[in-house]
Amino acid sequence: MAKQLPARRLDGIDHNPWVEFIKLSNEYDVVNLGQGFPDFSPPDFAVKAFQQATSGDFMLNQYTMAFGYPPLTKLLASFFGKLLGQELDPFKNVLVTVGAYGALFTAFQALVDKGDEVIIIEPAFDCYEPMTLMAGGRPVFVSLKPVFSKAELELVAGLCQQHDTVCIADEVYQWLVYDGHQHVSIASLPGMWGRTLTIGSAGKSFSATGWKVGWVLGPDNIMKHLRTVHQNSVFHCPTQAQAAVAQCFEQEQQHFGQPSSYFLQFPQAMQLNRDHMIHSLQSVGLKPLTPQGSYFLIVDISDFKSTMPSLPGAVDEPYDRRFAKWMIKNKGLVAIPVSIFFSRPHQKDFDHYLRFCFVKDEATLQAMDERLQKWKAELQP
């Protein structure tokens, strides 16, 4: 072949750390607390909505509007418009995508040009860097300390306005907040609606990650460029999944803010899971950091780094990766090393943390407890 394969845009992004850890997890008898997905059924109303979408109106087997199933875009505009303090046009301010992942890819392809700097606040979802590179951009990383306040969010908003910068806000976990905390959308801050894309996920909202329905909300002068990418790539997302999500939001709109709201009930249940996991992990000397939101908690393994420094693995491999592999092989527990969510120059500063997912079934947490109790017994003198 005269032309090189693959395309240059793929240079340096072919390795994915998830592949390695998923493969390793499949080779051992483990309790998988690594990947972020529920291992239990979505709520009954969501399951019923999907069943109706596949067995009801036969026209839902056909194409719908390219930028979103109209009943869904209207509900998203109405629902989120109230939260963001904006009058959203369902045809101009809303785009339905193949999951939040698809929303991110569409945004990067639409807005990032060759040589553009893309500031990534890390730890970050590991697709942000390769998506930036594929679009020709140059990632610039800013590391967070284990605290993030509203004042810091307002500082970011001020910098965006000062430097006339577009903000891409990945807010898929906006309903999963704990201990009475409230999620604050950066688009709702003064001066930010006109420069922010807000990305959401039905999978995370309704515990149905396989539905792959996401969305982007934003001003029309930015959204029009995402629509151009969308119509020249996927063009259209599955109609039935969009119809099911529309029914889910219709249900939630009726109960929102009340004790019967799923967006209220689900985080209450997951907070109990979080607290259960924290207590269990502490029993073997792991040091969890109590999260205010999301599916995950972070565990500090600094003490193990001091007492078990010589784990198998390459010399330049971050310690948390070596520890995670050791834990899979020797303790039957899967967690994700936090260093994979940092840029290479910063990994050495954050190689003493693991990430555990607590959005799991009771049986999974009990299986975790059994592994940890065995580990605890092995630590007894």
Side-chain angles (χ1 to χ4, degrees), residues 69-296:
Y69 177 59
L72 176 58
T73 57
K74 290 175 183 176
L75 279 162
L76 291 172
S78 170
F79 194 93
F80 287 97
K82 294 182 179 71
L83 297 176
L84 296 175
Q86 298 291 329
E87 188 75 32
L88 301 189
D89 185 316
F91 301 104
K92 294 181 178 180
N93 303 126
V94 181
L95 173 65
V96 178
T97 58
V98 183
Y101 215 92
L104 288 162
F105 184 80
T106 302
F108 280 94
Q109 288 293 312
L111 304 179
V112 179
D113 213 346
K114 186 174 181 179
D116 285 351
E117 287 189 349
V118 177
I119 299 168
I120 299 174
I121 298 175
E122 55 181 0
F125 191 28
D126 58 289
C127 74
Y128 299 164
E129 181 179 8
M131 286 186 182
T132 297
L133 295 171
M134 274 196 285
R138 184 166 70 86
V140 177
F141 298 93
V142 177
S143 300
L144 277 179
K145 304 294 190 217
V147 175
F148 191 60
S149 65
K150 185 180 179 183
E152 288 173 297
L153 189 69
E154 290 170 340
L155 174 64
V156 171
L159 290 170
C160 287
Q161 293 173 67
Q162 180 182 340
H163 297 281
D164 194 21
T165 300
V166 173
C167 176
I168 300 175
D170 183 350
E171 300 189 3
V172 299
Y173 294 111
Q174 74 176 99
W175 310 115
L176 282 155
V177 290
Y178 311 114
D179 303 315
H181 291 285
Q182 295 293 319
H183 172 80
V184 178
S185 291
I186 194 168
S188 70
L189 298 181
M192 286 303 292
W193 164 254
R195 63 178 65 254
T196 303
L197 295 177
T198 303
I199 292 174
S201 161
K204 296 300 193 299
S205 298
F206 298 108
S207 303
T209 58
W211 290 11
K212 295 299 291 181
V213 176
W215 53 84
V216 192
L217 312 172
D220 184 48
N221 66 310
I222 300 177
M223 293 292 290
K224 65 182 182 182
H225 305 304
L226 276 70
R227 292 194 293 268
T228 299
V229 172
H230 183 87
Q231 70 190 13
N232 289 292
S233 55
V234 298
F235 186 75
H236 176 282
C237 303
T239 307
Q240 290 167 328
Q242 293 187 69
V245 174
Q247 283 197 45
C248 289
F249 267 108
E250 193 168 10
Q251 157 94 7
E252 183 57 33
Q253 199 165 41
Q254 294 170 8
H255 296 270
F256 190 67
Q258 303 174 30
S260 55
S261 163
Y262 183 71
F263 291 167
L264 185 65
Q265 291 178 347
F266 186 54
Q268 289 174 344
M270 291 307 102
Q271 183 171 321
L272 296 176
N273 280 17
R274 180 201 67 177
D275 295 344
H276 176 150
M277 181 175 280
I278 287 173
H279 179 75
S280 295
L281 293 173
Q282 287 172 333
S283 69
V284 296
L286 294 166
K287 295 182 176 179
L289 309 177
T290 303
Q292 295 177 355
S294 87
Y295 276 6
F296 310 105

